[in-house]
Amino acid sequence: MSKNKMMIDGFRMHQSILNEFRFMRDESFSRPPASSYVVYLTMLKQLDVENNSRGILREYNLAHWSKKLNISYSTLYSGKCWLEKYHFIKNTVDAAGMPVTVMKDVEKYNKPEEGHELNYLLIPHALLETNILAEFVRTSNPEGIELLFSLLNQFRTGLSKMEGDSFEAVKMSRTMKTLKEQLNKNAKGVRQILSVLESLFNVQFDGISFRGKQMWIRKVWISLKPECVVEKTDEFQVDQLMAMLSHELTYFLDGLRIKYKPRDQRDVMIAFNQEVIGALKYLKDERNTSFQRDQFIKNYFIACIDKIEEQYHEKKKEKPTYKWHSIGAVFRIFFRNHLKATLEKIPYGIVHDAKVEAFMQKEKILFPI
């Protein structure tokens, strides 16, 4: 396994938003309760499911998370109210008249091109399959969740700089003194919190000694368990491009005031991946012709949605009750039907080389030309 091939298998939490939680913790009289952290994490997970970079939730269900995490609904509702009170979230109605929940500043921090640094930690999907959050809520222990954030922040950086073949070699250390101060617990309380975290982390004690019946620990070493990480598979580096195009799609659908569900957005992006990305991922940038694959793909996507919007307005003029029965199918037809003419604008040598590369990789890609 080569360098920098591993990453935390999870969803984003922007560092700037985490800093706002920390500000509330350190500078206000209303420290974030453990339940507020939990509700916010479940909302981030739902954002990941809905693939909405604008921070708009359409299908969040508090009762579902209460059942899944084994935390009482009233406790999670209290955490949600805290988030509303301090403006981390707000409930509103979108342009199509549908109730939604908007997460503050998520859209802003998802736009590095507008001067905001894309700085985030990754929360493992596996966290929501453990009892960690329920245990920290049960014991009213937001400090445990804050330690979790701190560790995940370090591990994201550590994995990006990983040398060698084993992600387990990436370890973080804390002295017992530091942990006692950070968690505001005695040694026994620290060990209890670490035992809860063992669902996701390997925890090893270093420098153990005994004074009478009391155990003393000098340092703690922590590493990630396999269920927290995944091997990077974006060989052709299209993930970021697809995320950007998905963001454009959200603006497009909201601008048309069309009622849609997260699965409609997923259907569109799946169609684009199959009809366009699948065929064009082998195209390579060419300095002599100034051809850039990603820019070509982006331009094609934008051109398609412009044509779709034009057709939509024409149909609405002819028939005011006109609507799409399948958003994904409409987009798929446009992606497929207009690709051939667009590809003819690319120097043939670039397309030929892509066909050869696809053949060498034993992929059956049917180029439209």
Side-chain angles (χ1 to χ4, degrees):
M1 190 174 298
S2 58
K3 181 181 177 181
N4 296 347
K5 281 292 186 180
M6 302 299 294
M7 62 183 290
I8 292 176
D9 183 18
F11 50 91
R12 291 179 180 178
M13 180 174 189
H14 290 285
Q15 185 65 49
S16 295
I17 294 175
L18 178 56
N19 290 341
E20 292 187 36
F21 275 102
R22 288 172 173 167
F23 178 82
M24 294 296 298
R25 176 194 68 189
D26 298 332
E27 304 295 335
S28 77
F29 293 102
S30 181
R31 179 182 185 134
S35 59
S36 69
Y37 283 126
V38 172
V39 173
Y40 197 81
L41 287 174
T42 59
M43 288 184 169
L44 288 177
K45 171 64 177 179
Q46 185 63 28
L47 267 188
D48 184 67
V49 171
E50 296 187 18
N51 194 24
N52 191 301
S53 59
R54 299 186 66 188
I56 299 174
L57 289 169
R58 301 178 184 278
E59 296 184 346
Y60 181 77
N61 189 317
L62 197 66
H64 163 77
W65 288 106
S66 170
K67 182 177 180 181
K68 180 175 178 61
L69 297 177
N70 195 25
I71 302 173
S72 72
Y73 182 90
S74 59
T75 299
L76 291 184
Y77 182 76
S78 175
K80 184 172 181 284
C81 289
W82 189 95
L83 293 172
E84 292 172 351
K85 179 179 179 180
Y86 292 99
H87 310 294
F88 283 88
I89 63 172
K90 70 174 181 179
N91 298 313
T92 187
V93 176
D94 69 6
M98 302 294 288
V100 295
T101 298
V102 180
M103 303 179 73
K104 174 191 171 187
D105 289 340
V106 167
E107 180 177 18
K108 177 175 72 175
Y109 294 129
N110 275 333
K111 290 183 174 180
E113 67 276 10
E114 296 187 5
H116 305 291
E117 183 181 0
L118 190 57
N119 186 10
Y120 57 89
L121 58 152
L122 288 168
I123 310 297
H125 295 300
L127 172 64
L128 300 174
E129 305 299 327
T130 71
N131 70 334
I132 290 176
L133 297 178
E135 192 62 23
F136 286 149
V137 168
R138 184 186 68 81
T139 55
S140 300
N141 211 328
E143 298 90 349
I145 299 177
E146 289 158 5
L147 173 61
L148 175 66
F149 290 150
S150 176
L151 290 169
L152 292 174
N153 212 357
Q154 283 187 284
F155 276 114
R156 178 176 180 266
T157 301
L159 288 175
S160 69
K161 299 177 180 179
M162 185 179 78
E163 300 283 352
D165 296 335
S166 176
F167 71 89
E168 293 172 328
V170 180
K171 294 185 178 182
M172 302 301 156
S173 66
R174 296 284 195 283
T175 65
M176 181 57 75
K177 179 181 178 182
T178 298
L179 286 172
K180 287 163 71 173
E181 292 174 353
Q182 181 179 354
L183 299 172
N184 194 28
K185 305 286 184 185
N186 58 23
K188 181 179 179 181
V190 170
R191 292 197 301 272
Q192 289 174 340
I193 288 177
L194 292 175
S195 69
V196 173
L197 292 176
E198 283 187 306
S199 297
L200 289 183
F201 300 96
N202 297 305
V203 179
Q204 296 176 312
F205 296 135
D206 190 14
I208 299 176
S209 61
F210 291 89
R211 301 177 187 177
K213 295 183 179 180
Q214 194 170 16
M215 181 173 68
W216 291 76
I217 300 169
R218 184 176 61 84
K219 183 181 287 189
V220 179
W221 290 94
I222 302 170
S223 62
L224 287 167
K225 288 189 173 179
E227 51 265 43
C228 293
V229 299
V230 65
E231 187 171 0
K232 294 180 182 179
T233 57
D234 186 21
E235 181 181 355
F236 296 93
Q237 299 180 334
V238 296
D239 286 355
Q240 187 172 356
L241 173 64
M242 288 290 283
M244 178 182 64
L245 297 180
S246 180
H247 186 67
E248 293 288 342
L249 175 65
T250 303
Y251 272 103
F252 171 75
L253 294 174
D254 289 344
L256 286 183
R257 298 189 175 185
I258 293 174
K259 292 182 179 179
Y260 68 95
K261 294 184 177 182
R263 69 168 176 266
D264 294 317
Q265 187 174 358
R266 288 196 297 272
D267 287 346
V268 171
M269 298 315 298
I270 289 171
F272 190 72
N273 188 51
Q274 293 173 341
E275 301 292 339
V276 182
I277 297 292
L280 306 187
K281 64 183 179 181
Y282 288 102
L283 293 176
K284 295 181 180 180
D285 293 352
E286 181 62 55
R287 293 182 181 179
N288 295 335
T289 61
S290 299
F291 172 80
Q292 292 184 319
R293 183 200 65 178
D294 287 4
Q295 189 62 47
F296 173 83
I297 292 173
K298 179 182 178 182
N299 290 344
Y300 181 70
F301 185 88
I302 299 299
C304 282
I305 63 176
D306 285 345
K307 290 184 176 71
I308 290 170
E309 181 177 13
E310 183 179 337
Q311 184 198 69
Y312 179 79
H313 288 309
E314 289 176 355
K315 295 287 187 182
K316 290 288 283 187
K317 285 182 181 179
E318 296 172 4
K319 184 180 180 182
T321 58
Y322 172 76
K323 65 178 182 179
W324 291 330
H325 295 291
S326 172
I327 294 176
V330 169
F331 278 76
R332 183 181 290 275
I333 290 171
F334 268 85
F335 293 150
R336 180 185 300 159
N337 290 351
H338 296 277
L339 187 57
K340 180 179 179 180
T342 306
L343 282 176
E344 290 174 348
K345 301 174 184 178
I346 302 176
Y348 180 75
I350 296 176
V351 177
H352 177 267
D353 290 346
K355 290 181 179 180
V356 172
E357 181 66 21
F359 177 78
M360 295 297 291
Q361 298 296 330
K362 298 181 180 180
E363 285 203 32
K364 295 180 179 179
I365 293 177
L366 299 177
F367 285 87
I369 59 175

